Amino acid sequence: MLQPRIPVNPLPTGIVAPLIPPTPVTDIEPTQAPAPVPVAAPRTTVQLTPGSALALAAGGGAAVLVVGAVLVSMLLAVAITGVSVALIAVVLRLLVRDMQKGR
């Protein structure tokens, strides 16, 4: 069971030859009756009325607007951070240059 098996390449006909031929199982007598197969409950169908379809569309539109606003605000935060870091780099460069001149 835990030994690795080498995969068998399929023949040109598409039939895969097994590594170990299967052994036929005979002389098995059931000791008890097979368990009954459970019957699935019938599914209920969802019917959309015009009002519920409109509410669903409005909810979807609101979700799209909220997600868009969050993404735009995150992009704006990254842009503002980048500009402030660039400004600080320019100021530090000017300060270092002034220190090297001896002022």
Side-chain angles (χ1 to χ4, degrees):
M1 180 172 132
L2 297 177
Q3 295 175 350
R5 303 265 185 219
I6 300 172
V8 180
N9 291 331
L11 298 175
T13 58
I15 300 172
V16 178
L19 288 176
I20 301 172
T23 57
V25 179
T26 57
D27 298 335
I28 295 178
E29 296 179 12
T31 56
Q32 59 182 345
V37 178
V39 178
R43 293 186 176 191
T44 59
T45 57
V46 176
Q47 296 179 353
L48 292 177
T49 61
S52 63
L54 184 63
L56 186 63
V64 167
L65 289 176
V66 167
V67 169
V70 168
L71 291 177
V72 167
S73 64
M74 290 172 62
L75 180 64
L76 185 61
V78 169
I80 291 172
T81 304
V83 168
S84 65
V85 168
L87 186 63
I88 290 172
V90 169
V91 169
L92 285 177
R93 182 176 164 208
L94 290 174
L95 288 173
V96 168
R97 191 169 52 170
D98 286 343
M99 286 176 53
Q100 287 177 352
K101 288 183 179 181
R103 291 183 181 179

